[in-house]
Amino acid sequence: ATFDFRQRRALVTGAGKGIGREIAAFLAGCGAQVVAVSRSADDLAALERDHGCMPVVADLADVQGARDAVRAAGPVDLLVNNAGISVLQPFLDVTPDAFDRTVAVNVRAALIVSQEVARGLIARGAPGAIVNVSSQASTVGLPEHAAYCASKGALDQLTRVMAIELGPHGIRVNAVNPTVTMTPMGRMAWGDPTRSAPMLARIPLGRFAEPLDVAHTVAYLLSDSAGMIHGATLPVDGGFLAT
Ligand code: NDP
C-alpha cells in the first residue's frame, strides 16, 4: 500500500517503539514530514537516522509536556494518537496510581494533543485528519486489563465526540482497534503461549496483527481516500470481533 502525503506534516505519538514506530516510518515513506513524539530519546534518534523523522522527546502523561510537544512540532495536518501503556493487574489489585497513569496516557494525552492540533488547523483554516489508536480491548473485557480496557473504551467515545465537534471544521477523526500485536507491549501481555493460544484461537484469520497491518490502516484513514469515513472505530483484528 502507498499513499501520497507529500506536503503534509504528520505527528505520531509513542513513535519510539512498536506500532507507533511502524506508523511513523510508513508515513515518512509516503512522503510525509513526520514529527515523532516519544519518551526515550534513543528510540527517536534511530527513527530520525533511519526515516528522517523530527524527534520531540516528551512525557505525554504530563499535560504541559503534551502541549509543549505539539507546539514544538509546528503546523500539523495529520495526527496519530498512538502512545499507550498497559499495566496488568488483577481487578482486586488495581491501584489508583496505575489506573490514573493509564488514563493519563491512553485517553487524556489524546485529548490534549488533539486539542492543540485542532486549534492550529482551525486557526489556519486547513483540513486535517486524526486517528486514535484504540484496541479490541475497548469492546471486549480482557482479564487483568481493567484499567486498559476502561481507557480504550473511553478513547472510542472520545473519538466519537471529536468527530461530531471537529467534523464541521473539516477535521476527520477515526480510531483503529487492533487485536494483539507482538510489540514490546504485546510481548509483555501475550508473550506467554498459555495466554496467547486461547486468544489466537478466537481470531478467524489465524494470526495476530503485525505493526504494518495497523500502519496501513492508519495511513488509509489519514488519506483523502477515506474522505467520507468519520467517527469510525475500525477493527484490525482478523475477525476477532465478528466471532
Ligand atoms: P509499545 O509499548 O510497544 O510502544 C509504545 C510507545 O509509546 C513507546 O515508544 C513508548 O515510549 C511510547 N510511550 C508510552 N508512554 C508514553 C508517554 N507517556 N509519553 C510519550 N510516549 C510514550 O506499545 P505498542 O506499540 O504495542 O502500542 C501502541 C498503541 O497500540 C497503544 O496505544 C496500545 O494500547 C495500542 N494497541 C496495542 C496492541 C498490542 O497488542 N501491542 C493491541 C491493540 C492496541 P517508551 O518506551 O520510551 O516509554
Side-chain angles (χ1 to χ4, degrees):
T2 190
F3 300 91
D4 184 359
F5 292 124
R6 283 173 297 178
Q7 315 302 326
R8 303 282 183 90
R9 185 182 297 243
L11 190 161
V12 181
T13 72
K17 297 183 175 77
I19 293 169
R21 188 181 210 282
E22 194 75 29
I23 293 169
F26 187 75
L27 297 180
C30 296
Q33 294 176 285
V34 176
V35 182
V37 179
S38 197
R39 248 185 331 205
S40 303
D42 290 357
D43 289 339
L44 295 182
L47 204 50
E48 183 178 24
R49 184 192 62 223
D50 298 344
H51 299 285
C53 301
M54 172 184 157
V56 175
V57 178
D59 181 355
L60 298 172
D62 178 68
V63 171
Q64 197 56 45
R67 289 201 181 111
D68 291 346
V70 181
R71 285 172 194 164
V76 170
D77 306 295
L78 309 171
L79 168 63
V80 184
N81 287 306
N82 163 82
I85 60 169
S86 175
V87 185
L88 298 192
Q89 295 173 327
F91 173 74
L92 294 177
D93 299 329
V94 173
T95 59
D97 175 66
F99 189 90
D100 287 352
R101 276 190 292 131
T102 303
V103 171
V105 180
N106 295 10
V107 192
R108 192 179 65 191
L111 167 79
I112 302 291
V113 171
S114 298
Q115 284 176 326
E116 289 295 323
V117 168
R119 285 185 190 121
L121 285 165
I122 293 165
R124 281 151 54 214
I130 300 175
V131 175
N132 294 327
V133 180
S134 183
S135 169
Q136 68 181 16
S138 71
T139 304
V140 295
L142 301 171
E144 300 189 10
H145 281 73
Y148 186 79
C149 287
S151 74
K152 294 299 187 179
L155 186 60
D156 281 5
Q157 281 296 73
L158 182 68
T159 303
R160 295 185 181 106
V161 177
M162 287 168 62
I164 290 167
E165 295 198 28
L166 298 179
H169 295 285
I171 303 170
R172 284 188 308 102
V173 186
N174 292 289
V176 292
N177 298 62
T179 187
V180 171
T181 313
M182 284 303 172
T183 63
M185 178 196 289
R187 282 191 288 278
M188 179 274 296
W190 303 99
D192 177 353
T194 59
R195 273 177 183 266
S196 62
M199 176 60 77
L200 191 57
R202 294 170 64 183
I203 300 176
L205 287 185
R207 67 175 180 88
F208 292 134
E210 298 292 334
L212 192 57
D213 293 317
V214 184
H216 282 162
T217 310
V218 168
Y220 167 66
L221 289 172
L222 292 175
S223 78
D224 295 341
S225 300
M228 196 55 184
I229 303 185
H230 189 51
T233 50
L234 183 57
V236 185
D237 69 354
F240 174 85
L241 286 179
T243 63

